[in-house]
């Protein structure tokens, strides 16, 4: 059992990861490359970045994977590939919202596979965050093709399975750092995207700089932080905290290119921030807080 101080540290690390993840929207919008080219380049750079950090720390970036590590790597690759495909076939709003359905699956999967009961606190946070996420897309969810929406659901399911398998590796094999599964997953993404991505792929120096940022920081460093935060959080807790990405993403886009979020999106962002703050408080304090307001 981890103490509340450890949980707060874990939440802070995942929040920092979400901050880096959220910067992708702005940079992907300004890059005149196709989605598969961006996915290929940033995942390849991310894999090399994480492997280098692990090696410098004296670890083994490529240990022999077991079935759980392979499942983690495949589900991680599925998150990125299905999300790219969903964004191509349906609206970006549908793809993002359906990906963030991951906590729904985790609330029911994690207790069965990780041997813990469904916590009312987790369930409450998931329901509020999903309701708040829906506000981002009021009036926009009707569009989109069935196949794209199905791929969006698949991306959310993969996100749930990735987070859960990462946590299970930590619990069942504490002597092995599960970051190797993320390295392998990034290489899988690069391999899957390479046949189409390398056709006419000639980025300019400025585009190369953006791709390096996305690979080194937005994916590489972010997942190092996420992996470290998972030491102190449940899979559900990590994904709930990670929804901070959905709040920060439109802020970067607004600051960068002036795309203004709707009033509904602003309300949803405030609800998510409030839920994350409540979720991070000690249980006794969070129960007393409403009575003091």
């Amino acid at each position: 059992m981890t103490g509340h101080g450890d949980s707060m540290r874990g939440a802070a690390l995942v929040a920092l990861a979400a901050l880096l993840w959220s910067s992708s929207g702005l940079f992907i919008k300004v890059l005149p490359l196709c989605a598969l080219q961006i996915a290929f380049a940033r995942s390849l750079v991310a894999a090399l970045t994480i492997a280098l950090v692990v090696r410098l720390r004296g670890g083994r970036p490529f240990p022999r994977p077991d079935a759980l590590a392979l499942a983690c790597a495949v589900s991680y690759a599925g998150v990125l590939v299905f999300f790219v495909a969903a964004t191509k076939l349906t609206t970006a709003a549908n793809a993002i919202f359906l990906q963030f359905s991951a906590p729904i699956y985790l609330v029911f999967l994690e207790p069965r596979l990780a041997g813990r009961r469904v916590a009312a606190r987790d369930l409450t946070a998931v329901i509020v965050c999903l309701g708040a996420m829906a506000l981002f897309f009021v009036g926009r969810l009707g569009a989109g093709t069935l196949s794209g929406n199905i791929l969006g659901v698949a991306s959310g399911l993969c996100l749930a399975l990735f987070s859960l398998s990462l946590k299970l590796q930590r619990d069942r094999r504490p002597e092995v750092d599960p970051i190797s599964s993320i390295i392998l997953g990034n290489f899988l993404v690069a391999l899957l995207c390479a046949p189409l991505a390398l056709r006419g792929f000639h980025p300019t120096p400025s585009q190369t700089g953006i791709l390096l940022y996305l690979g080194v920081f937005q994916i590489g460093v972010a997942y190092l932080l996420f992996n470290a935060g998972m030491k102190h959080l449940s899979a559900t807790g990590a994904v709930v905290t990670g929804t901070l990405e959905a709040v920060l993403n439109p802020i970067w886009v607004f600051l960068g290119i002036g795309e203004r979020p709707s009033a509904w999106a602003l309300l949803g962002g405030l609800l998510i921030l409030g839920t994350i703050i409540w979720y991070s408080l000690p249980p006794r304090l969070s129960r007393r807080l409403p009575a003091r307001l």
Side-chain angles (χ1 to χ4, degrees), residues 255-278:
L255 293 175
I257 61 176
E259 184 177 278
R260 188 180 298 274
S262 68
W264 287 110
L266 291 173
L267 177 60
L270 290 173
L271 285 173
I272 291 174
L273 282 173
T275 303
I276 292 172
I277 292 170
W278 168 80

Side-chain angles (χ1 to χ4, degrees), residues 131-193:
M133 284 290 296
L135 295 178
F136 279 72
F137 313 112
V138 169
R140 303 179 189 177
L141 281 175
T145 64
L146 177 61
S147 57
N149 290 341
I150 290 173
L151 288 169
V153 172
S155 177
L157 181 58
C158 284
L159 178 58
L161 292 174
F162 160 68
S163 301
L164 184 56
S165 57
L166 192 71
K167 181 63 176 177
L168 288 175
Q169 285 187 82
R170 285 204 167 280
D171 292 344
R172 296 179 181 179
R173 299 184 65 192
E175 75 282 0
V176 178
D177 190 344
I179 196 68
S180 59
S181 296
I182 297 175
I183 298 172
L184 178 58
N186 275 299
F187 276 127
L188 284 175
V189 172
L191 182 64
L192 289 171
C193 294

